[in-house]
Amino acid sequence: MSGDGGTYTLIVDLTTPAAVEVGALGDRRFEPGVYAYTGSALGAGGFSRVDRHRRTARGAHDVRHWHVDYLLGHSGVRIDAVVRSAGVDVECAVAERLPAGPVSGFGASDCGCPTHLAAAEGESLDAFTDRVREAHEAAVASLDVGTGGGPRVDVVAGE
């Protein structure tokens, strides 16, 4: 999934309760359910950051650098899908269009957002994935990119 970067949202399915120490945010409890973590991959590696998240969720990468790494390191986690907006920084715009998750400040230590982790609020995995895709599409549409085709939004497999 490497290549050009942009904004991504991991659709995470947590099958068992998780007590996780989330770096400086401290100990947090996550109930089973579906979560969405929105981040940016605008550096030199682009979307290869998502590959790193996949390795962490599979247990093949132990380094915990971002808040999401702590959640992804739990054995009951699976990345079901990834929604991507290629070539644009709409991280905060997407996060603001999704419901707040259980941890204030999660993934948002470098911005003013309340959180970059959303919870599905009883929605099915497919319905929540559609909601996240719609949030990406709305965030991209709010940009003034002209008529040159603009950024694309796609949904790819998680693991």
Side-chain angles (χ1 to χ4, degrees):
M1 179 169 296
S2 58
D4 294 337
T7 300
Y8 64 92
T9 301
L10 306 175
I11 309 297
V12 177
D13 188 18
L14 178 63
T15 58
T16 61
V20 179
E21 182 178 343
V22 182
L25 296 176
D27 293 331
R28 302 298 172 160
R29 181 160 176 82
F30 297 86
E31 294 303 321
V34 180
Y35 298 89
Y37 168 75
T38 302
S40 64
L42 297 165
F47 284 122
S48 65
R49 179 172 295 180
V50 174
D51 295 329
R52 180 189 178 284
H53 292 320
R54 286 179 170 141
R55 289 192 308 275
T56 301
R58 286 192 310 263
H61 189 77
D62 292 333
V63 176
R64 306 294 184 253
H65 182 71
W66 294 284
H67 291 152
V68 72
D69 292 335
Y70 296 93
L71 177 59
L72 294 176
H74 186 271
S75 62
V77 163
R78 178 178 65 88
I79 301 173
D80 184 75
V82 181
V83 181
R84 306 180 305 178
S85 294
V88 292
D89 182 3
V90 290
E91 178 182 8
C92 294
V94 169
E96 291 169 358
R97 286 173 166 81
L98 297 172
V103 180
S104 181
F106 192 102
S109 57
D110 60 348
C111 67
C113 295
T115 186
H116 282 208
L117 181 69
E121 298 180 344
E123 293 173 86
S124 72
L125 186 63
D126 289 340
F128 194 53
T129 300
D130 287 344
R131 184 175 184 174
V132 171
R133 181 187 41 76
E134 290 165 2
H136 273 259
E137 289 170 348
V140 168
S142 72
L143 300 174
D144 184 14
V145 294
T147 59
R152 73 179 189 286
V153 175
D154 59 8
V155 180
V156 297
E159 288 193 49

